[in-house]
């Protein structure tokens, strides 16, 4: 079993390079299923959700070749529908994009229900509604989602009941090679939706409006290969921005699109930090003291739900009472128990966190409860003087490329260690 050990108390100083966006790379990797030919994808983050996705695609017949650590050639010419490995698919959330891409290419799909971080119920009814609008007959039985159709995917108008990143991307992927025009209304506007549309357009798709709440997709007969670079990861960047402020440091965060970070930047400025924007970097300098603030998570361009746990860790160190209203997921609070072990004074009232700041956090054995919650406890540990051990770090490694090495380069006293797990200890005794 691996753990992360943090000897906290050092401010972070220096520069860090941000990797490619996990949540953009995932739909793009699965969208390669639509393409007969080779796609060269650059700026792929080295994280386990991506490795798992490559394994899923290899299992259905894709040829995937690593060119450099962050560049891969993906050739899905020979893939087959309905063959994906159930146990791999259930490990991650992003595997649900295989539904859209199999349906788009073959007019049918069969994929296990997805996994991913546990935030309470995470329905896929909007994905299903979209596939049905495109002419699919969708059933969910025995742990699988199955789509069948008589004529393949057929263009249609879809009005989503809510803003869903996954449903927007899944339907956009399926519609790219559908017969006719699809209009998605109330579409998610996240930068990863735009990135996937740009990728598909580079392969010959005709998608307009991505980034607004109406996306129009004129189905094309086929897509061709291309070379495409994934956008930088705004959540990784935001996590380093928050860590810089929480540790009272100053960090230049390189390879970012500052526009994608504006909601986080605005909140950090409210806490008293200084954020200077460059073309493709932001310089974040903590204020002398951290002021309280209130945050409400919202779809893009609002404050991202994927930044709320990190922000909670920071606000534990602020003066006064802060509030976080989590409006996207009904239960994204499992990490709060871990912060409490470190002395955080946080109350959960429905979807609202009430954070009494001001008292320094102290070390304790803690665990990652999910991807972003795991980084929140890491940030808390970086601020707490003394040694904190974090377990279940595989959850952090699902979405952060070399986070320990990047933190070390900023002066953090942090390392990954391998310790025997209970079963190994029992055998040794
Ligand atoms: N929702 C439905 N029905 C659906 C789909 C979504 O009710 O069919 C609800 C969800 O339960 C939630 C809201 O709509 O309350 C928004 O969910 P969305 O579909 O946007 O989220 P997702 O596609 O499941 C992706 C990211 C998450 C990120 C959210 C929100 C991937 C693989 N996952 O999830 O990323 O939190 O969008 O931005 O892209 C993470 O990276 O840590 C992570 C959890």
């Amino acid at each position: 079993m691996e753990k992360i050990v943090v000897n906290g108390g050092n401010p972070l100083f220096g520069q860090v390079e941000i990797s490619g966006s996990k949540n953009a790379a995932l739909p793009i990797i699965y969208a390669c299923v639509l393409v007969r030919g080779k796609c060269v994808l650059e700026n792929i983050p080295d994280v386990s959700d991506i490795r798992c996705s490559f394994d899923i695609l290899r299992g259905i017949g894709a040829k995937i070749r690593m060119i450099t650590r962050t560049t891969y050639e993906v050739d899905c010419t020979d893939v087959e529908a309905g063959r994906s490995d159930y146990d791999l698919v259930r490990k991650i959330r992003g595997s649900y994009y295989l539904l859209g891409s199999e349906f788009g290419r073959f007019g049918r799909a069969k994929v296990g229900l997805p996994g991913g971080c546990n935030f309470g119920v995470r329905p896929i009814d909007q994905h299903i509604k979209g596939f049905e609008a495109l002419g699919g007959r969708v059933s969910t039985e025995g742990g699988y989602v199955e789509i069948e159709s008589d004529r393949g995917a057929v263009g249609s108008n879809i009005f989503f009941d809510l803003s869903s990143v996954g449903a927007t991307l899944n339907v956009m992927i399926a519609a790219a090679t559908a017969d006719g025009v699809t209009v998605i209304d109330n579409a998610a506007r996240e930068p990863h939706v735009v990135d996937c549309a740009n990728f598909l357009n580079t392969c010959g798709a005709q998608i307009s409006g991505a980034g607004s709440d109406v996306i129009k997709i004129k189905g094309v007969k086929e897509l061709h290969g291309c070379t495409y670079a994934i956008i930088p990861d705004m959540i990784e960047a935001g996590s380093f921005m928050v860590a810089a402020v929480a540790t009272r440091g100053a960090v230049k965060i390189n390879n970012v699109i500052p526009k994608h970070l504006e909601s986080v930047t605005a909140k950090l400025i409210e806490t008293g930090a200084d954020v200077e924007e460059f073309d493709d970097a932001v310089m974040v300098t903590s204020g002398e003291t951290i002021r309280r603030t209130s945050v409400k998570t919202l779809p893009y361009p609002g404050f991202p739900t994927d930044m709320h746990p990190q922000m909670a860790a920071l606000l534990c160190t602020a003066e006064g009472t802060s509030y976080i209203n989590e409006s996207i997921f009904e239960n994204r609070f499992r990490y709060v128990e871990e912060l409490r072990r470190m002395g955080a004074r946080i109350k959960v009232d429905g979807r609202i966190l009430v954070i009494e700041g001001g008292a320094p956090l102290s070390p304790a054995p803690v665990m990652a409860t999910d991807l972003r919650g795991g980084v929140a406890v890491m940030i808390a540990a970086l601020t707490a003087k003394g040694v904190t051990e974090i377990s279940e770090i595989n959850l952090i490694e699902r979405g952060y490329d070399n986070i320990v090495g990047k933190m070390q380069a900023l002066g953090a006293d942090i390392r990954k260690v391998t310790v025997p797990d209970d079963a190994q200890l029992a055998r040794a005794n």
Side-chain angles (χ1 to χ4, degrees), residues 302-345:
F303 191 92
T305 173
D306 291 346
M307 281 303 302
H308 122 213
Q310 304 87 316
M311 199 65 188
L314 166 65
L315 292 175
C316 289
T317 72
E319 298 295 331
T321 306
S322 297
Y323 299 91
I324 297 182
N325 182 341
E326 170 53 59
S327 83
I328 308 292
F329 289 109
E330 58 172 15
N331 186 4
R332 197 173 189 161
F333 302 120
R334 290 177 62 223
Y335 73 91
V336 168
E337 193 54 45
E338 304 305 306
L339 290 184
R340 284 194 189 122
R341 288 175 191 272
M342 302 181 71
R345 295 173 300 176

Side-chain angles (χ1 to χ4, degrees), residues 22-23 26 93-94 96-97 119 121-127 162-166 190 305-306 328-329 332 371-372:
K22 165 184 82 87
N23 288 347
L26 285 168
R93 189 97 200 137
Y96 53 22
Y97 295 126
F119 307 144
V121 192
R122 292 181 78 179
I124 56 163
D125 58 302
Q126 298 303 304
H127 303 238
L162 44 78
S163 172
S164 162
V165 172
E190 269 67 3
T305 173
D306 291 346
I328 308 292
F329 289 109
R332 197 173 189 161
L371 168 58
R372 311 301 173 187

Side-chain angles (χ1 to χ4, degrees), residues 32-38 75-77 105-106 221-225:
C32 288
V33 166
L34 294 176
V35 181
R36 287 184 181 81
K38 292 175 181 166
D75 182 351
C76 290
T77 308
R105 170 138 172 209
F106 300 102
K221 281 226 153 39
E222 51 180 52
L223 298 176
H224 53 76

Side-chain angles (χ1 to χ4, degrees), residues 274-295:
D274 182 61
V275 182
E276 195 182 347
E277 289 185 4
F278 301 89
D279 285 348
D280 59 357
V282 288
M283 173 78 209
V284 181
T285 309
S286 170
E288 291 274 299
T289 55
I290 308 293
R291 294 197 290 265
R292 61 152 304 279
T293 188
S294 297
V295 176

Side-chain angles (χ1 to χ4, degrees), residues 8-14 239-252 268 271-274 283-292 310-320 322 345 355-361 378-385 407 410-412:
N10 292 353
L12 299 182
F13 284 110
S239 304
F240 277 97
M241 291 168 78
V242 167
V245 179
T247 59
R248 311 302 192 257
V251 177
K252 186 161 182 220
L268 292 180
T271 69
D274 182 61
M283 173 78 209
V284 181
T285 309
S286 170
E288 291 274 299
T289 55
I290 308 293
R291 294 197 290 265
R292 61 152 304 279
Q310 304 87 316
M311 199 65 188
L314 166 65
L315 292 175
C316 289
T317 72
E319 298 295 331
S322 297
R345 295 173 300 176
I355 304 169
E356 300 289 346
L361 297 175
M378 182 189 288
I379 291 171
L382 289 168
T383 74
K385 286 201 171 62
M407 289 289 182
L410 294 173

Side-chain angles (χ1 to χ4, degrees), residues 222-245:
E222 51 180 52
L223 298 176
H224 53 76
C226 74
T227 297
Y228 191 80
I230 312 291
I231 52 168
D233 195 310
M234 61 187 242
I235 305 300
E236 186 198 12
S239 304
F240 277 97
M241 291 168 78
V242 167
V245 179

Side-chain angles (χ1 to χ4, degrees), residues 152-171:
V154 179
S156 174
N157 290 352
I158 296 144
F159 197 112
F160 283 129
D161 299 346
L162 44 78
S163 172
S164 162
V165 172
T168 302
L169 279 161
N170 233 339
V171 170

